[in-house]
Amino acid sequence: MPADSDIVIVGGGAGGLELAARLGRRFGHSEGKRRVLLIDRSIFHLWKPSLHEVAAGSLDAHQEGLSYPMLARRNHFSFALGDLIGLDLDAKTIELADIRDKDGQVLVGRRSIPFRTLVLAIGSGSNLFDTPGAAEHAHLLENVADAEAFNERLTAAFLAAAYSDNRTLNIAIVGAGATGVELSSELIEGHDELSAGLAPDQRFDLQVTLVEAAPHILGGLSEKLAAKAARALEAKGVRLLTDANVVAVHADRLDTSQGLIPSDLIVWAAGVKASEHNRSLGLTIGRLNQFVVDDHLRTSAPGVFAMGDCAEAPGPDGKPVPARAQAAAQQAAYLARVLADPSRDRGPYVYRDRGSLVSLGEGQGVGSLMGGLAGPNFLIEGLIARWVYMGLHLDHHRAIIGIRRTLLLALSRLLHRRVSGRLKLH
């Protein structure tokens, strides 16, 4: 790392990467490379809302993922591989863990990285709510490794079910937010495609149960849209269980307030909570282990900012800004202006809810767009909602690789799916 790099961004998710790209392009090639450093524990970037597709096998993470060194070169910032384990606020340094190979051998030792300005964009994880057995028996979808691990288990479970006596595979998903709903739809469509290519004596039934503690699914949407999504999922064959609290998780079942649910595979997609490790960094922490920030995204330490899912930022309604990709993108745009010219007062960061969109599979979706079109809350569904949902993904890529390369990437993905099929079984 250059000795005079002054803006260090830890976390290359949607927000952290967009911030690095915006700053790098604003500073230009030589200054951006010298001043902006992005650090991430992975060597490639994948848009987090796509993890459910990786888990279901409808997206190859290594084909879709974008190399951080390549992105750094094109957007004029520097990149370093590393995992944050310590923060020295007095010395203004961060400590990165060893980098080891898969056999445990140390490739790169611990490193201390100085900073003038630090931006923490390290994301968050799942909230297990201290549910007995959840950590041991439920799959999480917090990163690419989690999604690929689940897909590996899913592929094995498909094979086992095809040759089992009862020819049935039961999957339970805890949490009917966007991730749980989208995963259930992807699993059903993937199974349908697989079944069409199997011999009749190898076909098996897939029962997906979506468990939600709230009265209806998709708490971020209106009850009208949630009801439409529920009907669409039930038409696909998804079993919905609402007003159901998970009491315990076992290897082969869920214990809920509405009874037992037999489960060969369990996915936990309920709740958001940042890492317990955040409490050791010397910054003020909120109830969900997020870094408490003011309306300028400043933490309790001078020169240290936090953004995205790891930050508890004040929202316009008095509640914290929700952990959404659109919030991270807005914060990236705000911080890019602030950090590019610290002497200029940019005013406070204000979160603007642009609405919520949920994919229900090929050609289907529901959502609301806030502020415009046909009033403050414009409802969309079906193919239009699906197209707008895909447009959000493409807009993220446009921000980091440009319009031309985004169009080429989209075309490549479309053609690959046409040739290889929707489901990838590795």
Side-chain angles (χ1 to χ4, degrees):
M1 168 188 159
D4 55 351
S5 289
D6 59 4
I7 302 174
V8 176
I9 304 165
V10 183
L17 176 57
E18 287 194 26
L19 174 59
R22 285 176 178 271
L23 287 172
R25 291 196 300 266
R26 183 155 185 165
F27 291 144
H29 177 72
S30 58
E31 187 179 1
K33 286 283 187 181
R34 177 175 57 82
R35 295 187 58 187
V36 182
L37 174 67
L38 176 68
I39 299 172
D40 196 87
R41 66 181 64 177
S42 174
I43 199 67
F44 71 94
H45 167 77
L46 185 78
W47 198 50
K48 191 173 181 180
S50 297
L51 288 178
H52 70 279
E53 296 180 79
V54 178
S58 54
L59 182 68
D60 186 336
H62 298 277
Q63 180 188 25
E64 179 73 10
L66 299 173
S67 161
Y68 281 119
M70 177 273 291
L71 293 170
R73 176 173 59 84
R74 290 178 175 168
N75 290 286
H76 315 314
F77 62 86
S78 296
F79 172 75
L81 187 67
D83 190 11
L84 176 69
I85 58 172
L87 170 60
D88 188 328
L89 294 172
D90 294 327
K92 302 200 79 168
T93 61
I94 60 172
E95 186 176 6
L96 303 182
D98 295 335
I99 299 177
R100 298 173 180 265
D101 63 18
K102 59 184 178 181
D103 297 320
Q105 297 297 314
V106 176
L107 300 176
V108 181
R110 290 190 178 191
R111 291 159 290 159
S112 182
I113 306 293
F115 64 86
R116 293 188 181 90
T117 299
L118 175 66
V119 181
L120 297 170
I122 54 180
S124 64
S126 303
N127 192 344
L128 301 181
F129 303 103
D130 297 320
T131 307
E136 294 80 11
H137 303 299
H139 289 269
L140 306 179
L141 296 182
E142 296 178 357
N143 50 51
V144 173
D146 289 341
E148 290 183 326
F150 174 77
N151 181 252
E152 186 176 341
R153 287 288 306 278
L154 178 68
T155 301
F158 276 180
L159 180 62
Y163 289 92
S164 65
D165 293 333
N166 61 5
R167 302 262 180 81
T168 301
L169 176 62
N170 293 298
I171 299 178
I173 302 172
V174 181
T179 298
V181 166
E182 291 175 344
L183 176 61
S184 66
S185 181
E186 287 289 333
L187 289 171
I188 292 293
E189 292 194 358
H191 167 261
D192 290 346
E193 180 178 289
L194 177 65
S195 294
L198 293 177
D201 62 348
Q202 293 178 356
R203 293 173 185 167
F204 60 93
D205 294 326
L206 175 64
Q207 177 63 66
V208 177
T209 303
L210 197 53
V211 183
E212 173 56 49
H216 63 82
I217 68 173
L218 296 172
L221 294 179
S222 68
E223 290 192 31
K224 178 181 178 180
L225 281 179
K228 287 181 178 290
R231 289 193 293 270
L233 291 175
E234 289 173 334
K236 289 175 178 286
V238 177
R239 178 192 176 198
L240 301 181
L241 194 63
T242 56
D243 277 322
N245 292 305
V246 176
V247 178
V249 181
H250 303 272
D252 60 350
R253 72 179 191 278
L254 288 179
D255 293 349
T256 78
S257 58
Q258 294 195 26
L260 304 182
I261 302 174
S263 310
D264 299 297
L265 290 174
I266 299 169
V267 178
W268 192 280
V272 174
K273 189 175 183 179
S275 171
E276 289 287 338
H277 179 255
N278 290 354
R279 296 186 173 275
S280 68
L281 299 180
L283 302 171
T284 300
I285 298 295
R287 181 176 58 87
L288 299 177
N289 297 333
Q290 295 167 303
F291 303 111
V292 176
V293 298
D294 64 13
D295 58 6
H296 287 67
L297 302 182
R298 297 173 296 204
T299 69
S300 55
V304 180
F305 297 80
M307 62 175 292
D309 294 0
C310 74
E312 183 182 301
D317 57 358
K319 299 178 181 178
V321 172
R324 294 180 179 175
Q326 63 170 303
Q330 291 176 28
Q331 291 169 352
Y334 171 81
L335 280 180
R337 294 191 295 270
V338 169
L339 299 181
D341 185 5
S343 64
R344 182 176 177 182
D345 183 9
R346 297 287 182 174
Y349 160 72
V350 179
Y351 170 66
R352 291 178 172 81
D353 189 349
R354 303 300 187 191
S356 301
L357 290 167
V358 178
S359 169
L360 299 177
E362 290 290 303
Q364 295 188 73
V366 295
S368 61
L369 300 178
M370 308 292 288
L373 295 181
N377 195 344
F378 182 64
L379 307 182
I380 58 175
E381 57 184 290
L383 187 60
I384 294 177
R386 174 64 179 174
W387 284 345
V388 176
Y389 178 90
M390 294 170 61
L392 294 177
H393 189 175
L394 295 177
D395 189 59
H396 170 64
H397 279 76
R398 178 201 57 77
I400 56 178
I401 62 175
I403 295 176
R404 185 175 64 85
R405 290 188 178 93
T406 296
L407 293 175
L408 290 174
L409 186 67
L411 179 60
S412 172
R413 183 176 176 184
L414 175 63
L415 293 176
H416 187 268
R417 178 169 289 193
R418 293 282 185 182
V419 173
S420 66
R422 179 181 181 82
L423 193 67
K424 284 80 175 171
L425 295 177
H426 300 291

